[in-house]
Amino acid sequence: MQDVTDTGVSVGPSILGLVTSGIFDDPLAIYREYIQNAVDELSRQNEVDGQVEITIDQRQRRVSICDNGPGLTYQECLEDLVPISQSKKFLGRDRGFRGIGRLAGLAFAESVTFLTRASAHTPVTRVAWSKAEHQNRSNPMRSKESDVHDWVRVEVLDDFDYPEHFFRVDLEKISRHAAGALLNREAVRGFIAETCPVPLAPDFPFCNEVWEIFPPQQAPYSLQITLDGEDQPIMRQYGSAIALADKKEDRFYEIEVVRVPSIDDKEDAAVGWIAHSSYLGAIQKGSRVRGLRARLGNIQVGDERVFDHLFEEERFNRWCVGEVHVLDSRIVPNGRRDYFERGPHLRNLENHLAPIISRIASRCRAASTARNREKRLVSAIGDLEDMYELAASGCLTSDAASAFVEKALQQLAKTYHELDSSGIEKGSIQRVCAIEEKLRTFTPNGKRFPVSGLSRLEEDAYRRVFRAIAELVPSARSAKEIMDSALRYAKS
């Protein structure tokens, strides 16, 4: 191993704090940053079998992220991995371009080490950024020029026992406060599935339609990302069904293609899709699919709330599923990558999305109105059934029971008038027809009083009282419950 640390670069602790913990507040974001760097290199080389392997060592508090990209030479390591905020990437072609994402791990680990080589005949270059030796920053005798030697070391390894070409990132001694996220395999798997450029799951019913919306030269690049040697690569979590917040389930029925022209109208500024369902309510929190999402280079920008500000009612963004893939290089993510930098091209995107989002909201409201109508109908049917049961219970006189049935028929006619049967579940319609038949064929004669052994005078007294209860209590079910309580005393 040869130590060749002579970077000629000076950097103080403040700037490193600014470009790490000052930007990356979510520990899981480091996976996006390092996978983003991998996909930039792999896609630039037109590598169709791009792969990333992630290894998590919980005991050692260590994470490795290794890709099969072209790798870097020693000189490229000095030029690309040592300077801060000095990137050779091109805005509009590459996903990263600010030159700070590779240091994201320093916000949550003691050291970040890069190992790479460009061919089988070259040694491995090791670039290690560490803050372990930089604890005595307040020492006034330490010069700023020496700071870099405490943070970064560049070495050439003579060991050839590595892949022919690769790029690997090792995060060592992950801090305790970040370990709960960075070392949690389920959290990592979910974050990568939601955020990173991985394929759609095969059971998503619109896979083919989604890929067909992209221009051939701008088709989204996807990686095969595996975690801890698992055979099954991570995929986006869209499936054939979606779990709702109230533990019900909904399904996708159709896909709507979204196209946003650029300001100069020469090409698409963005393309996307919306998978329409029955809009039965809010999708389950933590599903990692709900909301209209934004993606650039097939990497998510922001989260499920990224377009909340375009919804008149934010809650409807929790009901829908869709993605907007930005293609216009003039629409640039901000430093935190939670939205885009302001400008005319972003406004153009938002202006075209506004009517699409309005239509989503209209679907949600229409579905909500239909469900409320169904609930009212179900409640009305229940009331009618309770009224029939009360009339047929024998607790009322024949005249009172007939009057009660007539009242139920009037309520039935009102229900028909207020509620259009279109969109109503078949079971509810069948219940309406069944209770209507019972009410119209009702005959009060011969209904015995529910308690035997009472005299005629006692039965008449009970029935008069029960008639008053039936007329005064607004709910037939509540009236029947009061009568049943009274009858229990009559039996005792």
Side-chain angles (χ1 to χ4, degrees), residues 2 34 40 67 75 111 116 143 149 166 173 197 212 221 260 301 315 350 355 370 388 392 403 434 444 454 466:
Q2 180 185 6
Y34 294 127
D40 276 339
D67 66 68
Q75 187 60 36
S111 67
T116 183
S143 68
H149 299 291
F166 75 102
K173 295 182 180 179
E212 289 173 357
Y221 188 87
V260 177
V301 176
R315 64 189 180 101
E350 292 178 335
Y388 172 79
L454 298 179
F466 288 165

Side-chain angles (χ1 to χ4, degrees), residues 154-214:
V154 183
E155 302 169 324
V156 173
L157 307 183
D158 297 328
D159 186 355
F160 284 80
D161 190 21
Y162 286 92
E164 291 185 2
H165 55 84
F166 75 102
F167 190 94
R168 194 177 88 192
V169 183
D170 294 336
L171 279 72
E172 305 279 356
K173 295 182 180 179
I174 292 172
S175 60
R176 302 285 183 183
H177 81 275
L182 292 179
L183 304 179
N184 183 326
R185 291 182 176 86
E186 290 307 310
V188 171
R189 184 181 290 106
F191 178 83
I192 290 173
E194 177 182 12
T195 306
C196 296
V198 295
L200 293 168
D203 59 340
F204 183 56
F206 306 117
C207 283
N208 293 335
E209 291 89 336
V210 167
W211 298 126
E212 289 173 357
I213 68 177
F214 293 90

Side-chain angles (χ1 to χ4, degrees), residues 51-64:
Q51 298 177 9
V52 173
E53 297 180 6
I54 298 173
T55 304
I56 295 176
D57 187 335
Q58 294 178 334
R59 177 171 294 183
Q60 298 296 324
R61 305 205 323 269
R62 183 176 186 271
V63 168
S64 290

